Amino acid sequence: MTPAEWPHGRAEIEALLRGRRLEQVPPSTDNALALIARARLHLATAEAVAPTDPDIGMDALHDANRKALEAVLLDQGLRTTRDGGHTAPYEAAKAQLRTSARTARPELFVYEVVRRLRHGADYASYEVHLTASDVGDDLADSHALVEICSRLVGSMPAFRPDPAR
């Protein structure tokens, strides 16, 4: 696939690369599938611990969602850098998985919801007090996100920068 034929999001991915929020690495479907397996394990952990420790349950949901998006990137030969933090995987996925109407898939929204809840509980002066139902509210959507990502692994081409840019 030539750069001009690349699926949605080329400009956004290249901007993330230029901004050093993403970096190129060798594509690895095997490592991507391992991340998907870990994401599924984190979903099970979230469900198991939510009744007694909802903060850890939300952490596990966030880790599951992040690893699922990172798996899609890794399969394409992309990886989030320290500067990219926990927002670059979402930005990359949102750019690549938009529909023809230029809207992101609704399944992606759970990533940002969980990330913000987790951040609020962990870092925002402990202003957010999570409950088991908070974790439960986002569990099904997180499962859907991980499954979408698992289907994408192996189906998206490796990213090649556009030499004209």
Side-chain angles (χ1 to χ4, degrees):
M1 176 172 284
T2 67
E5 297 172 312
W6 178 257
H8 300 295
R10 168 168 286 289
E12 293 90 339
I13 296 298
E14 288 184 347
L16 288 166
L17 287 165
R18 280 191 309 277
R20 297 192 174 140
R21 299 186 67 223
L22 288 180
E23 64 186 357
Q24 288 195 271
V25 296
S28 177
T29 299
D30 289 342
N31 288 335
L33 290 171
L35 279 176
I36 293 292
R38 289 173 62 196
R40 288 180 175 136
L41 179 62
H42 292 327
L43 291 172
T45 298
E47 189 169 17
V49 303
T52 57
D53 196 344
D55 286 6
I56 294 299
M58 193 62 72
D59 282 344
L61 279 185
H62 173 66
D63 285 346
N65 294 340
R66 183 179 51 79
K67 285 177 181 162
L69 294 182
E70 290 283 358
V72 175
L73 291 173
L74 182 59
D75 191 44
Q76 298 172 76
L78 299 166
R79 179 174 60 196
T80 303
T81 65
R82 181 177 295 192
D83 289 343
H86 292 186
T87 57
Y90 176 69
E91 291 171 28
K94 193 168 62 168
Q96 291 185 318
L97 302 180
R98 66 182 181 228
T99 65
S100 59
R102 298 188 57 84
T103 57
R105 293 180 66 115
E107 296 90 345
L108 290 176
F109 298 150
V110 71
Y111 183 89
E112 197 57 12
V113 169
V114 168
R115 186 186 73 78
R116 288 178 187 206
L117 283 171
R118 174 199 170 264
H119 186 272
D122 285 355
Y123 302 111
S125 301
Y126 305 100
E127 295 168 5
V128 175
H129 300 284
L130 297 172
T131 65
S133 65
D134 293 324
V135 177
D137 289 347
D138 295 313
L139 189 60
D141 290 339
S142 292
H143 271 286
L145 177 61
V146 170
E147 291 314 307
I148 286 166
C149 290
S150 74
R151 290 191 301 271
L152 289 171
V153 169
S155 69
M156 293 186 70
F159 184 83
R160 301 288 179 246
D162 186 346
R165 291 185 185 214

